[in-house]
Amino acid sequence: MTVATAVVDWYHANRRDLPWRRDGFTAWGTLVSEFMLQQTPVSRVIPRLEEWLTRWPTPADLAAVPPGEAVRAWQSLGYPRRALWLHACAVAITERHGGVVPDDVDALLALPGIGDYTARAVAVFAYGERHPVVDTNIRRVIARAVDGQGEPGPPSAKRDLTAMEALLPHERSAAAAFNAGMMELGALVCVARTPRCEECPVRDACAWRLAGYPVYEGPRKAVQKKYEGSDRQVRGLILAELRASHIPVTQAEIDALWPDAPQRDRALAGLLADGLAIAVDGGYVLP
DNA sequence: CATCCGTGGTA
DNA sequence: TTACCAAGGAT
């Protein structure tokens, strides 16, 4: 049995019942879910996703409201620029693609907020196209099972896609199941901290296991800066105030949110530059 | 290629 | 408590 077959069989027996895997889930739903899942865990995405798709069941529905409504409905999913990009995406799909989510990777890549991962994920999971998909889970599984390393090195789109392509089944539905299965394997079994190798469908072929689990010696990932006291935190505080208010938030109210004036000004300027806030008479509002 | 961009859960 | 981690993308 090949690695691909083992992963596909395991996936069919162990896949979680997630909203975006339901029968009849739309391509638009897939696109929204992929935006939300960019760096945000599944458990936090599910409730927001249901709300969004109930309120905006098609791209045209979202495109018809101001972008600030998207930012507000994003709530605390984090990285709120994604809400802005998703709204811009809905506008572009409505204007350029007749309201239909494209199935072509290059057309998807041309949309705001869609990069290499999301473009392929939509083409594969919404439309069943045959492409390799590479996300953080798959990079880790390949690093271990194929390369015999405990952690993936720095991302390299060409190398990662080549590695995935080499394993990808030819038949479209099998290829889609393999992509999903590799992601699910990385999410449930081949996890970052304490992998559950005894449950792994490819343990007998895993290069990392066969090599005796060598400790990773390559370049370390850049450490994420502390959130407490960061510009990100201040931006978050200001944006939460804008989301909560339906009238302009005054400069005085913003001043009360954070004591360090230069940092506060920097955060507000950043929000304005990103289009997450706009200055109006009497203060600041969502776009 | 490195850095910036939120927020919350977990070991 | 701190540090790491989570279906990335833009610049």
Side-chain angles (χ1 to χ4, degrees):
Chain A
M1 168 163 359
T2 66
V3 167
T5 304
V7 170
V8 169
D9 288 351
W10 175 87
Y11 177 63
H12 285 134
N14 295 280
R15 67 197 282 265
R16 290 169 291 176
D17 179 24
L18 299 171
W20 43 92
R21 292 177 182 165
R22 291 189 309 236
D23 285 342
F25 202 70
T26 64
W28 169 241
T30 300
L31 180 57
V32 174
S33 75
E34 293 298 348
F35 265 82
M36 291 184 170
L37 287 164
Q38 293 169 2
Q39 299 289 279
T40 300
V42 167
S43 60
R44 289 176 53 204
V45 163
I46 290 174
R48 291 297 85 72
L49 178 66
E50 309 279 8
E51 292 168 7
W52 268 62
L53 294 179
T54 298
R55 185 168 174 190
W56 299 305
T58 71
D61 294 317
L62 178 58
V65 304
E69 284 306 296
V71 175
R72 187 171 274 121
W74 198 254
Q75 299 189 30
S76 62
L77 284 177
Y79 293 144
R81 292 186 298 185
R82 289 181 293 164
L84 227 41
W85 292 335
L86 181 48
H87 180 274
C89 210
V91 171
I93 290 169
T94 303
E95 291 176 351
R96 310 209 292 254
H97 299 286
V100 179
V101 176
D103 62 2
D104 176 72
V105 170
D106 289 326
L108 287 161
L109 274 173
L111 297 171
I114 295 193
D116 214 46
Y117 164 74
T118 304
R120 290 162 180 281
V122 170
V124 170
F125 301 135
Y127 293 111
E129 299 287 316
R130 183 184 179 281
H131 300 287
V133 174
V134 176
D135 78 325
T136 185
N137 289 305
I138 290 181
R139 294 200 332 105
R140 185 173 55 249
V141 173
I142 289 176
R144 289 175 178 166
V146 178
D147 299 332
Q149 313 251 349
E151 299 174 30
S156 157
K158 183 180 295 183
R159 184 204 62 208
D160 296 336
L161 286 171
T162 301
M164 196 58 185
E165 175 69 52
L167 297 171
L168 199 67
H170 291 292
E171 197 272 319
R172 281 165 48 115
S173 64
F178 178 64
N179 280 309
M182 288 285 278
M183 290 175 65
E184 193 77 337
L185 191 58
L188 299 182
V189 174
C190 194
V191 295
R193 299 194 199 182
T194 50
R196 308 149 72 92
C197 299
E198 68 288 348
E199 299 177 25
C200 181
V202 298
R203 62 185 174 281
D204 291 338
C206 177
W208 190 42
R209 175 173 171 274
L210 293 172
Y213 300 113
V215 174
Y216 177 70
E217 301 285 4
R220 305 296 315 185
K221 268 179 265 193
V223 258
Q224 194 172 0
K225 268 193 207 147
K226 193 166 75 166
Y227 181 63
E228 203 65 31
S230 67
D231 286 6
R232 288 179 181 177
Q233 184 185 20
V234 184
R235 285 171 57 112
L237 286 171
I238 296 173
L239 197 61
E241 195 74 14
L242 298 184
R243 276 199 306 260
S245 175
H246 289 266
I247 59 173
V249 174
T250 66
Q251 184 67 53
E253 289 169 328
I254 289 175
D255 291 348
L257 293 174
W258 193 258
D260 181 338
Q263 189 179 25
R264 205 171 58 219
D265 294 346
R266 197 163 61 237
L268 180 56
L271 291 172
L272 291 166
D274 288 344
L276 283 165
I278 57 179
V280 296
D281 200 34
Y284 302 92
V285 296
L286 292 178

